[in-house]
Amino acid sequence: MNEPTHFDLLAIGGGFAGLCTAVRGAELGMRTAVLEAGADESYRCSSRWAGGIFHVSYHDVKLSPDELVAAINRQTSGETDQELAAAIAADAGPTVDWLASRGAVFTQASPAGWHRFTLAPPRLPVAGQDWQGRGPDRLLGELRRRLDERQGRLFLGTRAASLRLRRGQVVGINAHKDGKVLEMCADAVAIADGGFPGNAELFSKYIGPRPDRVLMRHAGTAIGDGLRMAIDAGAAYVGLDRFYGHLLSRDAMENEGLWPYPQIDAVATAAIVVDQRCCRILDEGLGGISITNDLARLDDPLCATVICDAPIWEGAGKAALIPPNPQLLAGGGALHRSDTLEALAEAAGLPPENLAATVAEYNDAVRFNRLTTLLPERSARSGAPQRIETPPFFAIPICAGITNTMGGIAIDGHGRVKRPDGSAITGLYAAGGSTGGLEGGGALGYVGGLIKACVFGLRVAEHAAGQLHRCLK
Ligand SMILES: Cc1cc2nc3c(=O)[nH]c(=O)nc-3n(C[C@H](O)[C@H](O)[C@H](O)COP(=O)(O)OP(=O)(O)OC[C@H]3O[C@@H](n4cnc5c(N)ncnc54)[C@H](O)[C@@H]3O)c2cc1C
């Protein structure tokens, strides 16, 4: 039987952004399909591997739109596209309700407000991969089932290669499947390919010189196809140098059991991060995402070690849902420990006298409130700094892990792809990790990958359906 090749709305990518687009579009009466490059039924994507926490800038998605806009602005220091922020704030609550009515099961993963909507079952609090059968994996299955019920299509093993354009308008996609070229027509195309965290060339161009020395903390399937296609069609892009990511044990570069968790962020933020000479190299107080970005831009992103003491290891070390204390050791990661800083430096292969001097200078700055005189300066955005003075002392060799790109294709509040002059490219939309403008402002403010994917997936479908029905009238 010949496959249909004409659709009202085609989504590129079968993560949450693409599936929300296609399911909602089908519910609104459109003939929709998803092209998914992965051939396997459990095709890899960040959506499947996610921790499953739906939040808006670390706030409960059910707060009022005004509160959520304020939270986004605080997180991004106001350097966010206000139209996109307003869209997220208005739709975050209704979007989790829509997901719940389409098979999502939510649980409160911890007493923290921003953990209220975590997909169930949540992953176990253990180091390493644990996505099979967890909430995000199940929800992808539920959305797919609903797509089938509405006669929407999911084409596995089908990689979109280029957009089909007629007189500046997008009218379909050329895709590759089993070595053949498929020509598919559509009134609207939604790019939902997850961005470009897995594209080493784009990483080198926009983020840092050594992608080979940065941990790829993602499914490896978002490789920038959508960005390339959108730019070829005349799209604008924004903030490509910013990414969302976390600090991990340096051993995660070799040891699968140490990523995507435990993250070392909370410990690093409470402590100091030094290079091989034991010099502090960045502002730890700006938080884990900022530290991760700073490391990834260095000539050698693998040069860094976190130095902390017992109160930090017993406090911040145990604070996360999947805490490095004790999951770092459980996963097989290096943790050096000693009663003196000199012995700690020796164990970690660092110059002993330099470490003692760096810690002494830091402790003095904390004691006498001179943090702004340190080089680099130490801010207190992520919590008040504390002295590193109570043995045992700990050293954790770390690496930077990229989870997803924060920048990407420029869109408006409906997910329409914009040209550099601000006009929309007819027939072209983008959603989720492929888009930019919302996140990455200030100290690399994060809004939330899951809520962004689902809110804009739904918005794209609503707008495309409105356009189609207007044409049919
Ligand atoms: C370990 C981990 C934990 C995370 N935890 C959270 C969390 O708890 N909360 C949160 O908010 N965010 C979290 N995130 C981020 C979140 O998962 C992503 O931001 C979000 O899922 C992105 O969804 P997406 O649909 O845009 O992209 P993806 O889920 O990456 O899907 C993109 C899809 O497009 C396909 N594709 C790529 N190119 C093509 C092509 N040319 N043709 C066809 N198909 C193509 C890929 O195969 C992939 O299936 C986490 C991410 C990771 C990796």
Side-chain angles (χ1 to χ4, degrees):
M1 194 178 77
N2 281 342
E3 294 283 12
T5 56
H6 194 127
F7 294 90
D8 299 321
L9 176 60
L10 271 177
I12 300 172
F16 284 130
L19 278 176
C20 285
T21 300
V23 171
R24 186 68 190 133
E27 289 175 354
L28 294 170
M30 287 193 282
R31 291 167 299 163
T32 65
V34 175
L35 307 189
E36 168 51 48
D40 195 82
E41 289 294 322
S42 294
Y43 54 89
R44 284 181 297 137
C45 57
S46 286
S47 296
R48 199 179 299 282
W49 287 16
I53 303 166
F54 279 74
H55 63 91
V56 175
S57 289
Y58 310 107
H59 286 70
D60 182 344
V61 296
K62 291 283 183 159
L63 292 181
S64 73
D66 284 350
E67 289 171 303
L68 292 179
V69 166
I72 295 171
N73 278 322
R74 270 197 308 277
Q75 191 61 216
T76 59
S77 304
E79 294 171 35
T80 182
D81 182 319
Q82 293 299 323
E83 189 182 347
L84 305 187
I88 290 278
D91 287 8
T95 294
V96 295
D97 290 343
W98 183 86
L99 289 167
S101 63
R102 297 337 184 254
V105 180
F106 290 104
T107 185
Q108 174 109 35
S110 89
W114 66 282
H115 289 162
R116 182 173 161 206
F117 288 93
T118 303
L119 288 172
R123 55 161 292 142
L124 296 174
V126 295
Q129 301 281 342
D130 177 41
W131 56 264
Q132 268 168 317
R134 300 292 162 208
D137 185 28
R138 286 198 188 181
L139 179 56
L140 285 169
E142 291 290 339
L143 291 174
R144 186 172 169 186
R145 195 164 63 71
R146 280 159 174 83
L147 185 64
D148 289 346
E149 278 171 10
R150 298 271 178 176
Q151 279 76 52
R153 302 297 306 271
L154 172 67
F155 295 104
L156 291 176
T158 308
R159 182 172 174 190
S162 58
L163 295 171
R164 294 162 67 84
L165 288 146
R166 195 181 305 134
R167 290 190 287 279
Q169 185 169 330
V170 173
V171 294
I173 297 174
N174 295 319
H176 294 158
K177 183 174 172 62
D178 300 330
K180 296 197 189 91
V181 176
L182 300 181
E183 296 181 353
M184 308 185 92
C185 301
D187 296 306
V189 169
I191 295 172
D193 73 329
F196 65 91
N199 185 315
E201 200 180 317
L202 291 178
F203 186 103
S204 308
K205 183 168 175 188
Y206 293 108
I207 298 172
R210 296 300 301 269
D212 57 316
R213 291 173 81 76
V214 171
L215 186 97
M216 296 295 131
R217 187 184 177 268
H218 52 79
T221 51
I223 52 175
D225 287 347
L227 179 66
R228 173 183 49 75
M229 287 185 248
I231 291 173
D232 287 350
Y237 50 88
V238 53
L240 301 188
D241 58 337
R242 316 286 168 91
F243 72 89
Y244 168 67
H246 291 289
L247 301 169
L248 298 150
S249 164
R250 195 183 301 157
D251 294 321
M253 296 295 292
E254 310 289 336
N255 177 350
E256 286 275 320
L258 281 166
W259 70 274
Y261 303 96
Q263 302 161 359
I264 315 295
D265 298 34
V267 179
T269 303
I272 59 171
V273 177
V274 299
D275 66 6
Q276 289 114 337
R277 300 160 302 156
C278 288
C279 297
R280 284 182 56 252
I281 44 177
L282 42 80
D283 182 350
E284 299 88 351
L286 292 178
I289 300 173
S290 174
I291 299 174
T292 307
N293 274 260
D294 283 352
L295 287 185
R297 292 180 210 296
L298 297 176
D299 289 336
D300 182 9
L302 290 179
C303 70
T305 301
V306 172
I307 306 292
C308 72
D309 65 355
I312 294 174
W313 184 241
E314 292 304 320
K318 290 185 171 167
L321 277 178
I322 304 170
N325 182 5
Q327 292 304 327
L328 173 64
L329 281 177
L335 175 72
H336 305 289
R337 169 194 172 122
S338 186
D339 282 338
T340 66
L341 286 169
E342 288 75 9
L344 182 75
E346 263 168 36
L350 300 169
E353 59 293 351
N354 292 11
L355 182 61
T358 297
V359 171
E361 186 192 13
Y362 178 76
N363 285 346
D364 275 356
V366 176
R367 183 177 292 114
F368 300 113
N369 201 13
R370 287 200 312 250
L371 289 157
T372 51
T373 65
L374 285 173
L375 274 178
E377 187 177 320
R378 173 63 152 91
S379 60
R381 187 181 158 110
S382 296
Q386 53 195 98
R387 295 195 292 273
I388 298 169
E389 59 185 8
T390 310
F393 300 102
F394 298 91
I396 309 168
I398 54 170
C399 68
I402 176 171
T403 307
N404 51 261
T405 37
M406 283 180 170
I409 303 165
I411 55 167
D412 70 9
H414 301 292
R416 287 185 296 185
V417 173
K418 297 199 288 191
R419 296 189 181 86
D421 67 5
S423 63
I425 300 176
T426 306
L428 188 60
Y429 296 85
S434 65
T435 66
L438 181 68
E439 309 181 283
L444 285 311
Y446 181 49
V447 174
L450 292 177
I451 201 70
K452 177 173 149 181
C454 296
V455 162
F456 280 98
L458 297 184
R459 282 199 159 221
V460 164
E462 303 274 349
H463 191 272
Q467 291 299 105
L468 183 72
H469 296 144
R470 238 178 41 192
C471 293
L472 294 178
K473 270 184 196 162

